[in-house]
Amino acid sequence: PSGSGKSTLLYLLGGLDRPTSGSIRIGGQEINDLDENALARFRQRTMGFVFQSFNLIPSATAVENVTFPARFSGMPSRQRRELGLELLEKVNLLDRAYHKPSELSGGQQQRVAIARALINHPSLILADEPTGNLDTASGESIMGVLKSLHENGATVIVVSHDPRLTGYATQTVQILDGKIIPESEPV
């Protein structure tokens, strides 16, 4: 449920927050040991984030928002644009590629955020309520995209209070009040 610690868990895994105790190891890398610059490079090479609040650049078009993270990876401009358009097509938004966030519905903004998370081909995708602002059909489409990424080798961690999403999961963890609850106990 809301307030259980789902988003906090993602922020810790993504190195956006630091743990007060313990450690976090991703792909053999102890992320607590990385300074801010090294951590930023690690996130850029390894992770894609889908934030609940979208975090889109208001003055940029959908394709510019999608391709923004790839600017820092050295990807050539033409390749970025082609990949950005391909990703927008994957989330059924190619027809909105040149619209700004204010010209998109909440669900469309969420799909732009999901496409942006995929631009650098991350091996780890952290998604905070990725279907929270979508209608049922769009939500199923997005979960299909995330499932396909998992089937092709990416680790996908989705946090949600929507029990329907567990049907896409290969493993589930229940959290309540910041603690992991055994699956045998109802939340």
Side-chain angles (χ1 to χ4, degrees), residues 69-112:
R71 289 176 165 222
F72 306 102
S73 66
M75 187 184 297
S77 176
R78 173 182 245 163
Q79 184 182 355
R80 280 196 315 262
R81 180 166 299 289
E82 288 172 7
L83 181 56
L85 293 171
E86 182 181 309
L87 289 169
L88 284 171
E89 184 173 31
K90 188 177 261 193
V91 296
N92 298 318
L93 273 183
L94 187 57
D95 63 327
R96 308 294 279 178
Y98 298 99
H99 289 76
K100 294 184 178 174
S102 63
E103 301 168 325
L104 302 172
S105 71
Q108 290 170 330
Q109 289 180 51
Q110 180 70 303
R111 289 186 277 159
V112 170

Side-chain angles (χ1 to χ4, degrees), residues 57-79:
I57 302 165
S59 61
T61 65
V63 71
E64 290 167 340
N65 267 287
V66 170
T67 60
F68 184 74
R71 289 176 165 222
F72 306 102
S73 66
M75 187 184 297
S77 176
R78 173 182 245 163
Q79 184 182 355

Side-chain angles (χ1 to χ4, degrees), residues 124-163:
L124 174 61
I125 298 157
L126 303 173
D128 192 355
E129 298 284 0
T131 63
N133 295 295
L134 303 178
D135 60 70
T136 303
S138 295
E140 288 175 358
S141 173
I142 291 307
M143 289 308 296
V145 169
L146 294 175
K147 182 179 179 179
S148 173
L149 292 165
H150 171 69
E151 289 169 348
N152 287 302
T155 298
V156 180
I157 299 176
V158 174
V159 298
S160 179
H161 61 270
D162 184 347

